[in-house]
Amino acid sequence: MKVLIRNGRVVNPATGRDERADIAVAAGRIRSIGNIAADFTPERIIEAEGCVVSPGLVDLSARLREPGHEHEGMLESELNAAAAGGVTSLVCPPDTDPALDEPGLVDMLKFRARKLSLCRLFPLGALTRGLAGESLTEMVELTESGCVGFSQAETPIRDTQVLLRALQYASTHGYPVWLRPQDATLGKGVAASGAVATRLGLSGVPVAAETIALHTLFELVRATGARVHLCRLSSAAGVALVRQAKADGLPITADVSIHSLHLTDVDIGYFNSAMRLSPPLRQQADREALRAGLADGTIDALVSDHTPVDADAKSVPFAEAEPGGTGLELLLSLALKWGQDSGLSLADTLARITSKPVQVLGESLGSLAGSAGQIVEGGVADLCVFDPAAVWQVSPAVLKSRGKSTPFDFSHSGMALPGQVRATLVAGTVAYQAR
């Protein structure tokens, strides 16, 4: 289909481009930006007056709940949520049921996603079989099936010898390893250690659970040269360690979730189970350090940490509630809110959810690496059209995700969010358009 996006403000964070222009799309590619050829006859016109046209969002952490947890999310519903949120590419962790430790499971997941044509899907393969932390998976076969890296998701490897061997093997083949820094023993609590957890009688997760894991990882990276992406930093101490490790030249990148960027442990209130998250919400000083770290480049990307959880799993005491919340449809708005609060330009803000995540993925994107997360002539037509002046309130009724629980539900957060997606194009196909 030939599509014309007309009268929009085109913002390309990778190059700093920010101008009013039309965009012509044909055969899944951006044919021209401005100076539309006279012979271009669009089959569909998207009016973007007053709207920003940005690269499609790239989310480095979104659980789709397939296979194994279909009661909490179906592939179609979650990819529809991605499209409604302007997300055109996402990375899914391997903690499905069964875990993504066999090529056949990865093939099936990618095949189903391709048929839906709603969002590009980049799975992470399990680093160890069944995520048990004992024996390594067949990384070569999983990579051939389409895995862009290897991860333990929420399950730390207890045996440092196994982790060392995993990083050695990954380094040999040039595979990136995605790990959440969390000590297996210290990380068992349900809330961040501190006054709030003590007052509520909740088991705590100390900052040391993150920093001990980071120290261990950095020593192993020095020993092996492996590329490691650190998932969802949560503490000021963790940000400082990552900043120093980057200054030392270690091949690491990092991300932070929308939850840790905007919320603190005080938001738990009186045992609000929507605030039961992983990693747990920490104190205000941690939140401010995370916001500053994302702004100065210590943290490379902002992620939705989309984890759809059904109502029954949240309608229990806080400590028993399943951690997680829906986030795909909130990523853009919460990035914009952070950018506004931080005094950043629109291009700088959008970079954290477009071009910067693409840099994290790097060569694993294959032929897409040259144009994903960008708006360039001849590049792939993954685009997001959004109204930056729109303000909306999050509620279960407006979410397309099957998971309706989110800490940003207006009924208990009182937080109205800026920016609303009007249209999303994936490979030139209109995957979503607001009515």
Side-chain angles (χ1 to χ4, degrees), residues 118-139:
L118 293 168
C119 182
R120 299 182 191 275
L121 177 61
F122 299 99
L124 291 172
L127 188 61
T128 61
R129 292 189 180 279
L131 299 176
E134 296 174 357
S135 58
L136 305 186
T137 54
E138 296 292 342
M139 296 188 202

Side-chain angles (χ1 to χ4, degrees), residues 211-242:
T211 57
I212 288 173
L214 284 171
H215 280 296
T216 300
L217 275 172
F218 294 158
E219 289 306 310
L220 295 179
V221 169
R222 286 187 176 95
T224 63
R227 274 192 301 132
V228 171
H229 178 69
L230 303 167
C231 304
R232 287 167 292 134
L233 292 180
S234 71
S235 70
V239 173
L241 288 175
V242 170

Side-chain angles (χ1 to χ4, degrees), residues 14-366:
T15 62
R17 183 174 197 159
D18 188 340
E19 63 179 351
R20 186 184 179 97
D22 296 345
I23 296 180
V25 173
R29 296 273 170 176
I30 296 173
R31 180 167 169 177
S32 56
I33 305 171
N35 301 317
I36 307 302
D39 63 350
F40 182 79
T41 306
E43 300 164 70
R44 188 164 181 173
I45 296 175
I46 296 175
E47 294 291 352
E49 182 71 38
C51 292
V52 171
V53 184
S54 79
L57 276 53
V58 180
D59 189 352
L60 297 182
S61 181
R63 289 174 173 82
L64 305 176
R65 295 310 205 185
E66 279 200 43
H69 297 270
E70 287 81 2
H71 62 290
E72 292 181 314
M74 294 289 286
L75 194 63
E76 184 171 2
S77 67
E78 304 319 297
L79 293 186
N80 268 309
V87 176
T88 57
S89 297
L90 63 81
V91 176
C92 62
D95 52 348
T96 50
D97 185 15
L100 296 180
D101 59 3
E102 294 287 344
L105 295 170
V106 177
D107 289 336
M108 178 187 68
L109 190 60
K110 286 185 68 69
F111 173 75
R112 290 203 59 214
R114 277 196 303 270
K115 285 188 66 177
L116 292 169
S117 299
L118 293 168
C119 182
R120 299 182 191 275
L121 177 61
F122 299 99
L124 291 172
L127 188 61
T128 61
R129 292 189 180 279
L131 299 176
E134 296 174 357
S135 58
L136 305 186
T137 54
E138 296 292 342
M139 296 188 202
V140 173
E141 294 181 4
L142 287 167
T143 300
E144 291 172 350
S145 294
C147 289
V148 295
F150 298 91
S151 172
Q152 281 293 110
E154 293 294 303
T155 311
I157 294 179
R158 292 178 175 273
D159 189 333
T160 308
Q161 181 67 37
V162 173
L163 182 56
L164 173 62
R165 287 194 289 110
L167 293 178
Q168 286 173 330
Y169 188 86
S171 177
T172 299
H173 292 273
Y175 300 149
V177 177
W178 297 45
L179 297 171
R180 184 158 89 78
Q182 173 183 240
D183 181 82
T185 303
L186 294 177
K188 289 183 176 179
V190 300
S193 295
V196 171
T198 300
R199 175 171 57 82
L200 297 177
L202 298 172
S203 57
V205 179
V207 169
E210 182 165 283
T211 57
I212 288 173
L214 284 171
H215 280 296
T216 300
L217 275 172
F218 294 158
E219 289 306 310
L220 295 179
V221 169
R222 286 187 176 95
T224 63
R227 274 192 301 132
V228 171
H229 178 69
L230 303 167
C231 304
R232 287 167 292 134
L233 292 180
S234 71
S235 70
V239 173
L241 288 175
V242 170
R243 185 176 288 116
Q244 183 58 55
K246 285 190 167 187
D248 292 343
L250 294 188
I252 59 171
T253 51
D255 66 47
V256 63
S257 81
I258 55 176
H259 306 118
S260 296
L261 198 68
H262 287 283
L263 305 170
T264 68
D265 58 352
V266 173
D267 292 302
I268 293 173
Y270 292 98
F271 305 99
N272 181 355
S273 62
M275 301 293 172
R276 173 80 164 94
L277 302 162
S278 181
L281 299 172
R282 296 200 174 277
Q283 286 76 43
Q284 182 173 343
D286 297 293
R287 181 185 66 180
E288 297 311 310
L290 292 165
R291 292 165 76 90
L294 184 62
D296 68 23
T298 300
I299 300 173
D300 299 86
L302 178 62
V303 303
S304 74
D305 194 24
H306 179 74
T307 306
V309 179
D310 67 20
D312 290 343
K314 287 292 190 181
S315 301
V316 292
F318 184 91
E320 300 172 22
E322 183 177 346
T326 191
L328 279 167
E329 295 160 81
L330 312 182
L331 178 59
L332 173 65
S333 292
L334 290 169
L336 294 175
K337 180 170 174 55
W338 161 76
Q340 292 169 3
D341 294 345
S342 302
L344 297 179
S345 69
L346 181 58
D348 281 345
T349 300
L350 291 173
R352 273 59 175 190
I353 49 176
T354 56
S355 57
K356 297 293 186 182
V358 167
Q359 290 175 12
V360 171
L361 289 167
E363 296 176 358
S364 58
L365 285 174

